[in-house]
Amino acid sequence: MTFGQAAGSPAGRKIWEKTWWLFALLFIATNAWAWSRFGVLGLLRFWAAFFAVLGASVLLYASRMRRMADESRHWLPVEATVLRAEVVEDRQTTNWEPGDPLIVYYYPEIEYEYEVEGRVWRSNRLIAVRVNFPKSEAEAWVRRFPPGSRVTARRHPQKPELAVLEPGLAGFEDRYRIPFFVGAGFLIAGLAGWAVLRSLG
């Protein structure tokens, strides 16, 4: 399974659409138990700590992806064949009205294969980090890499399963900033919430 093919895959979305209500019930039940066991302040402290830890984790991920992107400029070039190129449309719904989109995201899904020392590998990384694109930009990337075309990818010298079509940060600086903004937002919200709750005793 390559980068980004788990929860974002069609099978993953179908499973989520059929089972989201189980997770919703579990979430409600867990929060109700924590409220009765630790009180409202205890529950809120937990969520403040959760958001702080989540934010720190996203920041670590963003730092790692940015470092990987910078290092990918020095990865080994390898000839690759594009197997599939399409714009993936991810519809996030409220689940109150099935099929009614709340927000629509787009990503250029470009799958390609390449050979390293007699073994064939597959990747779907356009850049090191997977983020959303405007629809027109996603379509432009898909047109640039039509199925069957031969392209030059860059693959990690020690980890041949890691490869990108667009190495480096040039032209994608804004894309690599997005996880930093998201992580910082969660971290600040969690720490601020914790400070407020602590002042309330």
Side-chain angles (χ1 to χ4, degrees):
M1 184 174 293
T2 53
F3 181 80
Q5 288 185 332
S9 66
R13 287 194 293 270
K14 288 181 180 178
I15 293 173
W16 172 253
E17 289 172 359
K18 293 181 178 180
T19 61
W20 67 267
W21 60 273
L22 291 175
F23 292 97
L25 288 176
L26 180 62
F27 174 81
I28 293 171
T30 302
N31 278 273
W33 173 83
W35 189 326
S36 64
R37 179 69 175 80
F38 303 105
V40 63
L41 286 180
L43 177 61
L44 292 176
R45 286 194 191 99
F46 165 79
W47 282 110
F50 172 81
F51 280 113
V53 172
L54 177 62
S57 300
V58 173
L59 287 174
L60 288 174
Y61 165 81
S63 178
R64 178 175 176 270
M65 290 299 103
R66 187 178 180 87
R67 184 173 62 254
M68 181 188 295
D70 187 53
E71 293 173 350
S72 67
R73 295 182 297 112
H74 308 292
W75 289 359
L76 301 177
V78 61
E79 188 175 14
T81 301
V82 178
L83 303 175
R84 179 172 56 91
E86 61 184 10
V87 176
V88 174
E89 182 180 288
D90 183 16
R91 293 174 175 263
Q92 300 292 332
T93 68
T94 59
N95 289 318
W96 297 112
E97 295 291 336
D100 184 25
L102 178 63
I103 304 175
V104 181
Y105 300 102
Y106 301 95
Y107 183 80
E109 184 81 11
I110 303 168
E111 185 178 14
Y112 52 96
E113 69 177 13
Y114 52 96
E115 185 175 324
V116 179
E117 298 179 351
R119 181 173 178 179
V120 177
W121 299 87
R122 289 189 181 185
S123 176
N124 64 352
R125 291 178 188 253
L126 175 62
I127 60 177
V129 63
R130 177 161 182 153
V131 292
N132 300 310
F133 287 73
K135 184 178 182 181
S136 58
E137 190 174 344
E139 291 173 341
W141 280 110
V142 166
R143 288 194 298 269
R144 182 174 170 180
F145 296 101
S149 61
R150 303 287 289 179
V151 298
T152 299
R154 293 272 183 168
R155 61 97 174 171
H156 194 287
Q158 281 81 44
K159 301 176 181 178
E161 70 276 9
L162 295 180
V164 295
L165 288 176
E166 294 293 318
L169 297 169
F172 296 97
E173 292 88 350
D174 291 343
R175 295 286 184 267
Y176 287 101
R177 291 192 190 104
I178 292 174
F180 282 101
F181 291 139
V182 173
F186 280 124
L187 181 61
I188 292 171
L191 293 177
W194 183 270
V196 170
L197 292 169
R198 185 176 181 182
S199 68
L200 295 176

